[in-house]
Amino acid sequence: MSAAAVEHPCDGEPERPKLQERQEPESLLESANRLSEQLPGHRVEIIGGVITVAPSPDGAHGRALTKLMRPLIDAGLDDGESAVIQGVRVWLPSGPSDYAIPDLAVVDADFDEHPNDNNCYDPGAFRLVLEVTSGNYQNDLRNKVTAYAAAKIPVYVILDRRHGRVHVLTEPLPGGYDNHEVYAPGHKVALPDSIGAEVTLDVAALVAAGRPSPKAKPRAKPPEEPDPSKEQEASEG
């Protein structure tokens, strides 16, 4: 019985590349985390199963945020049983991968003992979330209203820089908040006592802090002084 012939590749002939195994597409959460690494300084969130990317905020945004932090800290909410914290991730039940990163939050002091996946924290530890709007203001005024209410966060405050208003939303329901108050400059806003202290916000001061400074006009160039040597050449000619 003769042996079956075995083919060998010719000497010097490159071997055919092996077919790469098909990789499974990355998950929504993996995509969001990859974007966070590729876009440092941007805020990447998943709201309602959709990835949203917000650019780095401007200076007026930071100034307004400081104005909002001050009365919360002065009321003692950053000590004892609660803490005032920026940019902490909160897990949202609106989707399996949903999470948000509010600009500011008042949380229970032991919030870090209630972690969730992907460096998020249980929304049950949040007493208040606060957003200062930027270019993506519609996300703060619409999508996050539903998301934060679904997470049963008791108080949601929005400084709407575009329209110069402060929104205070309370009494969360599955589809949104049952109580939505809007305040214009000239009003004082008393936040609900449920956050753990009495806090009053000055709407006019907040709106003014969030307003970008007018761009400085470029300085006019001073008139050029005559060159004596050129004047002398012209007179001699």
Side-chain angles (χ1 to χ4, degrees), residues 6-232:
V6 179
E7 295 182 359
H8 296 279
C10 299
D11 293 339
E13 181 180 343
E15 295 185 7
R16 296 178 181 178
K18 296 181 179 180
L19 294 176
Q20 293 184 353
E21 296 181 1
R22 181 176 296 176
Q23 298 180 351
E24 295 183 1
E26 65 181 5
S27 67
L28 193 66
L29 193 55
E30 289 171 338
S31 297
N33 289 336
R34 175 174 53 79
L35 285 172
S36 295
E37 294 177 357
Q38 293 176 347
L39 301 171
H42 290 63
R43 181 164 297 187
V44 180
E45 302 168 300
I46 304 177
I47 309 292
V50 177
I51 296 177
T52 65
V53 181
S56 301
D58 59 12
H61 180 283
R63 182 171 58 214
L65 194 57
T66 299
K67 292 285 186 183
L68 282 159
M69 288 179 61
R70 190 169 296 151
L72 298 172
I73 294 174
D74 289 346
L77 288 172
D78 198 39
D79 297 301
E81 298 181 354
S82 61
V84 179
I85 190 166
Q86 299 182 47
V88 63
R89 290 188 179 194
V90 55
W91 175 80
L92 300 173
S94 50
S97 302
D98 282 14
Y99 69 92
I101 311 174
D103 287 319
L104 193 66
V106 177
V107 298
D108 295 340
D110 64 348
F111 79 98
D112 50 356
E113 298 178 11
H114 304 278
N116 206 299
D117 292 337
N118 196 44
N119 198 29
C120 296
Y121 295 92
D122 192 317
F126 286 70
R127 304 182 183 187
L128 172 149
V129 290
L130 188 150
E131 301 283 5
V132 177
T133 63
S134 294
N136 60 335
Y137 70 97
Q138 291 185 345
N139 193 41
D140 295 331
L141 293 170
R142 295 179 183 175
N143 301 333
K144 285 190 175 181
V145 170
T146 304
Y148 286 147
K152 298 180 180 179
I153 296 176
V155 184
Y156 177 26
V157 177
I158 310 167
L159 172 56
D160 181 1
R161 295 199 293 156
R162 183 182 181 90
H163 302 101
R165 299 287 188 270
V166 170
H167 299 249
V168 179
L169 298 89
T170 56
E171 302 178 23
L173 296 173
Y177 285 87
D178 191 43
N179 187 32
H180 184 169
E181 301 289 341
V182 184
Y183 300 90
H187 290 84
K188 305 286 185 179
V189 181
L191 297 181
D193 294 340
S194 62
I195 64 174
E198 295 182 359
V199 177
T200 301
L201 304 179
D202 185 338
V203 177
L206 295 175
V207 170
R211 187 178 298 120
S213 301
K215 295 182 179 180
K217 295 182 180 180
R219 294 181 179 180
K221 293 183 179 180
E224 295 183 359
E225 297 183 0
D227 188 341
S229 61
K230 291 184 179 180
E231 291 184 356
Q232 183 177 0

